[in-house]
Amino acid sequence: MTEYEERRPRQPIEHKTVVTRAAVVVPVLRQTQATEEGETVPRADESRLEEAVGLAAAIDLEIVSAVIVPVSKPRPATLIGAGKVEELKGVVAAEEIGLVIVDHPLTPVQQRNLEKELGAKVLDRTGLILEIFGRRARTKEGRLQVELAHLNYQKGRLVRSWTHLERQRGGAGFLGGPGETQIESDRRQLQEKIGRLERELEAVRRTRTLHRSKRKKAPHPVVALVGYTNAGKSTLFNAITGAEVLAKDLLFATLDPTLRRITLPHGTEVILSDTVGFISDLPTHLVAAFRATLEEVIEAELVLHVRDMANHDASAQAGDVNKILADLEIDTADAEHVVEVWNKVDLLDEAARAALVTASESGAKGLDVHLVSAVTGEGIDALLANIETRVAGRISDIALDIPADSLPILPWIYENASVQERTDREDGGVSLTAGMTAQARAELRRMTARYPDVRVASPAG
Ligand SMILES: Nc1nc2c(ncn2[C@@H]2O[C@H](COP(=O)(O)OP(=O)(O)OP(=O)(O)O)[C@@H](O)[C@H]2O)c(=O)[nH]1
């Protein structure tokens, strides 16, 4: 027990709140939009903007301007057209904007040119995600992973403009993510640092693997929550465990996995793991960097894919999550291994809810689907019963007749079954009926060898 508690992240590191005035720009490249394979529905521009603003807000920026910029032809020099750059420059000056977030990957050249043109620091989507990860990482491993991803990101960029950028920042420590001190160093130093971090991370991982193999010996299967950022994983985790995991309307509130041992209604114990929120366009090297964190998911007996069904982009988000899971070699169509949790149903009107019920009954690729609200608690009991059945087998009622001298078996019964009826007989014995999983029933058969006078009337199977 303590092992899991120890692994709960400590309080998040306090960051000095430096409120920077920022603009969010979402370039929409018309001709490349609908090229995704069949399943992924292209995102609505408005939701992309909303998500980008949400991401930016995750690092305490004051967003004073947010615009969608259609890009008919990407410019190698600035991505967006000259007219738009000019327009933005005006906004930056008028609104005293210090940072422009471009919600699209930028080449180093584009980033540099835009910074020069606009007179503000420019961060692309990867850079922003790294900033957020840097601020949210709470465990040592999480921090090392972010730092390494940051250094690798830097290595591929900007060697000539480190100094330029540093001067522009005016040394205010603004956006001082991990690796910032490396800005003036040369590639060799950067490489040395990367090597050092990799070794350190390796050491932390070895310890982790050790912990994990220890845990494997304990017969507790791991159930992992995954989902798009803000889908409600932490809220569901809290609803199930009563834990106080940080649940905020903050993207990526959870970066390091949080583990908690829980006892399901019929006594089965599992470890519930709350992991990092996924997001679209998560750069591959970032997924790789978080592979260790995601190992809980890879090794989980059961994966709960939590989805925000009140979001317009629910389906595109599911596509993104499935893509990342596929990268981790998790078969998302495997109904034995994956359950879909359709969350936030409390936010839906009757018609939308009815449509979901129909969709869930027709089965998303044959997966089990649960409609729940992590906030109101609706649907959670059924979800837990499903988890328990999957982990410990079918639940059936059994009748037990326990004579007085076999009463020491009672505490075991209460721990491993849900007692529904109990009669304390005059002869000192106890009769009861209880719901038990197949696993518990098998265990009970072994127990009754020690208590031969206990009579069990169990249903077939
Ligand atoms: N109305 C409603 N809101 C919910 C529900 N579940 C979660 N939320 C809200 O959605 C927001 C995000 O919830 P979190 O639990 O932090 O989401 P998460 O998936 O852990 O987010 P990341 O850490 O970014 O991955 C919070 O404001 C929650 O209160 C739900 O069932 N109904």
Side-chain angles (χ1 to χ4, degrees):
M1 172 67 100
T2 46
E3 182 197 328
Y4 314 131
E5 277 165 2
E6 266 165 33
R7 297 212 34 225
R8 285 192 63 201
R10 272 163 249 127
Q11 286 302 306
I13 300 158
E14 288 292 327
H15 283 277
K16 259 193 298 175
T17 315
V18 185
V19 180
T20 301
R21 294 169 68 79
V24 173
V25 177
V26 175
V28 178
L29 275 61
R30 291 294 168 205
Q31 77 273 43
T32 56
Q33 238 204 352
T35 55
E36 287 292 328
E37 315 149 7
E39 282 189 35
T40 314
V41 184
R43 254 154 237 276
D45 298 347
E46 285 302 326
S47 344
R48 277 196 52 197
L49 186 65
E50 204 179 302
E51 179 181 293
V53 169
L55 282 173
I59 53 169
D60 305 323
L61 297 171
E62 186 189 347
I63 314 297
V64 290
S65 160
V67 286
I68 294 168
V69 176
V71 177
S72 50
K73 192 165 142 273
R75 312 294 151 114
T78 50
L79 181 70
I80 55 179
K84 275 289 163 196
V85 173
E86 201 52 39
E87 219 175 283
L88 267 173
K89 186 179 173 177
V91 177
V92 166
E95 296 282 349
E96 296 179 344
I97 287 167
L99 174 73
V100 176
I101 287 169
V102 179
D103 188 41
H104 196 273
L106 291 174
T107 64
V109 169
Q110 289 170 339
Q111 184 181 9
R112 201 154 60 230
N113 287 339
L114 283 171
E115 286 185 333
K116 233 179 340 197
E117 296 275 335
L118 300 174
K121 170 145 177 61
V122 171
L123 211 55
D124 71 357
R125 188 174 170 95
T126 309
L128 177 61
I129 292 170
L130 281 169
E131 280 297 332
I132 299 172
F133 277 22
R135 293 183 189 214
R136 296 278 180 271
R138 276 165 277 163
T139 62
K140 182 162 187 199
E141 185 176 16
R143 280 196 296 273
L144 287 172
Q145 285 174 350
V146 175
E147 198 169 345
L148 197 57
H150 218 121
L151 289 176
N152 277 316
Y153 174 69
Q154 288 177 349
K155 199 178 74 175
R157 312 171 71 87
L158 297 175
V159 170
R160 267 182 313 143
S161 66
W162 296 129
T163 23
H164 158 79
L165 262 182
E166 184 66 346
R167 229 181 290 125
Q168 248 195 4
R169 275 195 192 100
F174 156 58
L175 291 176
E180 192 80 357
T181 53
Q182 288 300 313
I183 279 172
E184 286 157 349
S185 66
D186 61 25
R187 212 168 244 276
R188 188 181 51 77
Q189 276 174 312
L190 210 54
Q191 193 52 51
E192 271 173 20
K193 182 146 196 213
I194 288 174
R196 214 165 44 239
L197 274 174
E198 279 171 348
R199 285 192 296 278
E200 214 177 318
L201 196 55
E202 199 39 53
V204 177
R205 281 177 186 165
R206 268 201 300 275
T207 324
R208 225 173 114 76
T209 315
L210 220 82
H211 276 302
R212 193 176 305 115
S213 54
K214 250 198 256 162
R215 193 167 65 233
K216 263 196 176 153
K217 280 182 210 143
H220 298 323
V222 173
V223 176
L225 296 171
V226 301
Y228 204 80
T229 182
N230 237 36
K233 295 176 297 299
S234 300
T235 312
L236 184 66
F237 186 88
N238 288 349
I240 294 176
T241 63
E244 282 171 30
V245 178
L246 192 68
K248 275 197 194 160
D249 204 357
L250 258 190
L251 293 153
F252 300 114
T254 323
L255 189 58
D256 299 294
T258 304
L259 304 173
R260 187 56 78 89
R261 187 167 70 173
I262 58 165
T263 306
L264 294 166
H266 295 86
T268 310
E269 293 194 332
V270 296
I271 292 167
L272 193 65
S273 134
D274 182 14
T275 43
V276 61
F278 298 161
I279 191 158
S280 66
D281 305 326
L282 197 61
T284 324
H285 68 266
L286 218 54
V287 179
F290 283 89
R291 210 187 149 83
T293 308
L294 295 170
E295 267 163 20
E296 298 292 350
V297 179
I298 298 170
E299 293 183 2
E301 169 133 349
L302 190 62
V303 173
L304 304 183
H305 178 178
V306 184
R307 298 178 50 185
D308 173 357
M309 298 314 280
N311 192 297
H312 296 303
D313 276 335
S315 134
Q317 293 182 344
D320 289 324
V321 170
N322 284 337
K323 229 186 286 172
I324 294 170
L325 290 176
D327 277 353
L328 297 171
E329 288 157 24
I330 291 172
D331 179 3
T332 52
D334 179 1
E336 296 280 302
H337 190 46
V338 180
V339 171
E340 291 218 352
V341 180
W342 292 3
N343 191 30
K344 305 201 188 181
V345 293
D346 58 294
L347 295 178
L348 302 176
D349 60 25
E350 281 301 316
R353 188 186 270 257
L356 277 194
V357 172
T358 313
S360 70
E361 281 163 358
S362 63
K365 292 190 236 136
L367 295 178
D368 264 0
V369 173
H370 282 265
L371 268 61
V372 310
S373 165
V375 165
T376 65
E378 176 185 344
I380 290 181
D381 286 347
L383 174 64
L384 292 181
N386 185 337
I387 297 173
E388 187 154 28
T389 309
R390 282 161 171 273
V391 168
R394 196 159 54 82
I395 293 151
S396 343
D397 288 343
I398 54 154
L400 284 164
D401 203 347
I402 307 167
D405 58 2
S406 299
L407 286 182
I409 199 180
L410 261 186
W412 183 90
I413 304 281
Y414 275 89
E415 260 173 40
N416 293 279
S418 64
V419 174
Q420 287 137 9
E421 271 177 39
R422 169 176 172 156
T423 312
D424 290 78
R425 296 191 311 255
E426 276 180 10
D427 63 4
V430 171
S431 303
L432 49 80
T433 55
M436 270 193 164
T437 64
Q439 203 175 62
R441 291 196 303 276
E443 182 70 9
L444 177 68
R445 279 195 283 278
R446 281 191 288 277
M447 294 287 289
T448 46
R450 266 200 278 152
Y451 300 98
D453 297 332
V454 172
R455 287 215 314 279
V456 182
S458 69

